[in-house]
Amino acid sequence: MTTAKLKVLIVDDDADLREIISSHLKTVADIIHTANDGQEAVKACRSVKIPYDVLLTDIMLPNQDGIQTILKLRDEFPGMYIIAISGGRRTLTSDFTLQSASLAGAHAVLSKPFTRDQLLGTIRQAGL
């Protein structure tokens, strides 16, 4: 019996982190795409025929931050499970940015750094 695998979009401006997260997800995702910022993420979501199952987005992004991205995509793609990630910045803690993401419509949040098990556990909690 084969199980359906996921289609995931990872949004982070750190290319190394995108690669690490992609490798963490290879066992559960058939399709993994990445975007450097929120604008690329919105374009990617709107350009695919079959919507992504999971959007994993950083909050602090160039051009369009994760909060704006969540707000734009949550209603347009209601079946997409949104996980916000953040390590914070000097002036903004990760707790503050992740609380903001929850208020914007993220289904789950993860504070950086997180482990592979924490990431996969968050996806499993969604029933995916």
Side-chain angles (χ1 to χ4, degrees):
M1 179 175 150
T2 60
T3 58
K5 289 195 178 182
L6 300 175
K7 184 175 182 178
V8 179
L9 178 61
I10 301 165
V11 189
D12 201 296
D13 57 335
D14 181 333
D16 292 335
L17 185 58
R18 288 193 310 263
E19 183 59 36
I20 291 167
I21 294 171
S22 293
S23 70
H24 287 342
L25 294 174
K26 285 185 179 176
T27 60
V28 298
D30 273 336
I31 299 171
I32 302 169
H33 293 157
T34 62
N36 186 58
D37 62 40
Q39 289 176 346
E40 286 181 20
V42 170
K43 286 179 189 173
C45 286
R46 291 177 178 163
S47 69
V48 295
K49 291 181 182 180
I50 299 171
Y52 291 98
D53 299 301
V54 177
L55 171 70
L56 183 71
T57 185
D58 192 14
I59 300 304
M60 303 296 193
L61 296 167
N63 302 317
Q64 178 179 293
D65 67 36
I67 301 297
Q68 293 169 316
T69 303
I70 292 166
L71 290 170
K72 285 185 179 192
L73 295 175
R74 67 179 180 169
D75 293 329
E76 195 170 338
F77 301 95
M80 185 168 55
Y81 190 75
I82 300 172
I83 302 171
I85 60 175
S86 181
R89 292 285 200 275
R90 272 183 260 156
T91 57
L92 295 173
T93 66
S94 62
D95 286 342
F96 175 80
T97 57
L98 292 174
Q99 287 173 352
S100 299
S102 291
L103 292 172
H107 298 98
V109 297
L110 285 171
S111 186
K112 292 179 187 176
F114 52 85
T115 66
R116 178 184 183 277
D117 289 341
Q118 288 171 316
L119 175 60
L120 296 180
T122 300
I123 291 172
R124 276 194 292 280
Q125 286 176 352
L128 303 172

